């Protein structure tokens, strides 16, 4: 059962992401990785425990105040460095992490290969990353709108978070069948699979429902349905502590 954590704010993201992923270790996983934005999207990912990812980051740090992290439980493809998340668009402009299973990824992959896309992993996640890129390339839409339109083409379940070098003040999150929660802070915000990575930073959270996506910035957030309609959300207060 994969885990996701994302951060946007003023603090260095990589340390927060690694700590958050450690809070999610109880979910089970076989690899871990992060993507941090600082002018470009920098990826570090490793097969094995979060501790191995932390060691890789110590050896080759990434700096930036926007990032996403992921622990993967292999479904499509072996547990290795290549199949580990995050996955990036072909030109590396944006990165994505994903919980769930894209049931029609084979048909999507076949169509994209025919359109000239090259795949480097065996994952359904890479198929959706390339699909988002294909939608944006053909339509010239914003990344958030390209994500929304791409999600209308997939069957299955997903909980995703996307970051882009083109907009260093944005996280995109969406949910269908895989939980996604926003953590609201002062000048910083979080996205996670559950509250365990958030509770030490904020008690104010927003739960995304199935078929909803959020555009999260340092100073706020907006939630939409996958059909594009704005959705008003209630802010909840967590009543339990980290222990």
């Amino acid at each position: 059962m994969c885990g996701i954590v994302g951060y946007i704010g003023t603090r260095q993201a990589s340390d927060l992401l690694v700590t958050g992923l450690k809070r999610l270790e109880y979910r089970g996983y076989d690899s871990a990785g992060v993507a941090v934005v600082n002018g470009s999207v920098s990826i570090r990912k490793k097969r094995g425990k979060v501790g191995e990812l932390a060691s890789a980051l110590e050896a080759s740090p990434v700096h930036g105040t926007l990032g996403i992290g992921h622990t993967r439980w292999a479904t499509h493809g072996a547990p290795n460095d290549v199949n580990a998340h995050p996955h990036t668009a072909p030109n590396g402009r944006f990165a994505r992490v994903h919980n769930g299973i894209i049931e029609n990824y084979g048909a999507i992959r076949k169509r994209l290969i025919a359109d000239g896309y090259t795949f480097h992993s065996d994952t359904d996640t890479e198929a959706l990353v390339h699909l988002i890129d294909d939608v944006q390339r053909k339509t010239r839409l914003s990344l958030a709108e390209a994500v929304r339109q791409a999600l209308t083409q997939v069957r299955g379940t997903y909980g995703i978070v996307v970051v882009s070098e083109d907009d260093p003040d944005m996280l995109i999150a969406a949910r269908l069948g895989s939980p996604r929660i926003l953590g609201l802070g002062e000048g910083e915000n979080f996205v996670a699979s559950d509250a365990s990575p958030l509770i030490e930073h904020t008690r104010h959270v927003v739960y995304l429902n199935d078929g909803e996506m959020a555009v999260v910035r340092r100073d706020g957030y907006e939630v939409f349905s996958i059909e594009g309609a704005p959705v008003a959300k209630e802010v909840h207060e967590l009543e339990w502590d980290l222990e």
Side-chain angles (χ1 to χ4, degrees):
M1 185 167 57
C2 308
I4 285 175
V5 60
Y7 174 76
I8 182 168
T10 58
R11 293 185 278 174
Q12 288 297 312
S14 59
D15 291 342
L16 292 169
L17 297 176
V18 168
T19 299
L21 292 179
K22 289 180 178 178
R23 304 287 188 224
L24 295 168
E25 284 189 300
Y26 75 91
R27 299 169 70 92
Y29 66 102
D30 51 49
S31 60
V34 299
V36 176
V37 178
N38 186 5
S40 61
V41 178
S42 297
I43 305 288
R44 302 287 185 274
K45 52 185 182 176
K46 296 289 291 183
R47 176 183 177 182
K49 298 299 182 182
V50 174
E52 296 182 47
L53 172 64
S55 296
L57 285 164
E58 289 179 6
S60 179
V62 291
H63 302 287
T65 58
L66 167 64
I68 50 178
H70 187 269
T71 52
R72 175 181 186 251
W73 185 264
T75 55
H76 297 86
N80 56 37
D81 291 358
V82 173
N83 288 329
H85 298 205
H87 291 282
T88 62
N91 55 14
R93 287 176 26 256
F94 65 86
R96 173 179 171 272
V97 291
H98 167 227
N99 294 356
I101 296 176
I102 304 301
E103 296 172 0
N104 61 333
Y105 88 102
I108 294 171
R109 182 183 178 112
K110 182 178 179 180
R111 175 168 64 82
L112 292 173
I113 290 173
D115 284 347
Y117 281 83
T118 299
F119 285 76
H120 301 285
S121 78
D122 303 311
T123 66
D124 55 339
T125 296
E126 190 179 15
L128 184 48
V129 169
H130 289 351
L131 177 61
I132 294 168
D133 180 80
D134 185 57
V135 170
Q136 189 178 39
R137 180 173 57 84
K138 290 177 177 176
T139 63
R140 304 299 180 184
L141 293 169
S142 68
L143 180 58
E145 182 62 14
V147 169
R148 188 190 69 78
Q149 290 203 12
L151 291 176
T152 67
Q153 301 181 40
V154 303
R155 297 193 312 270
T157 60
Y158 55 78
I160 69 167
V161 187
V162 181
V163 293
S164 171
E165 67 180 40
D166 295 331
D167 191 340
D169 187 37
M170 180 180 67
L171 283 166
I172 301 168
R175 168 189 174 165
L176 182 64
S178 184
R180 196 62 64 242
I181 180 174
L182 311 182
L184 310 179
E186 294 291 334
E188 61 181 8
N189 290 304
F190 303 81
V191 179
S193 301
D194 62 45
S196 57
L198 309 180
I199 190 65
E200 62 189 298
H201 305 294
T202 181
R203 291 185 175 274
H204 301 291
V205 299
V206 170
Y207 298 98
L208 293 186
N209 294 323
D210 280 346
E212 292 180 349
M213 64 177 289
V215 176
V216 183
R217 301 189 182 276
R218 287 172 175 82
D219 61 356
Y221 66 96
E222 296 175 288
V223 178
F224 305 89
S225 70
I226 295 301
E227 291 73 31
V231 177
K233 302 295 291 185
E234 180 181 357
V235 177
H236 298 265
E237 185 170 354
L238 297 173
E239 296 181 353
W240 47 281
D241 57 28
L242 185 60
E243 287 74 19

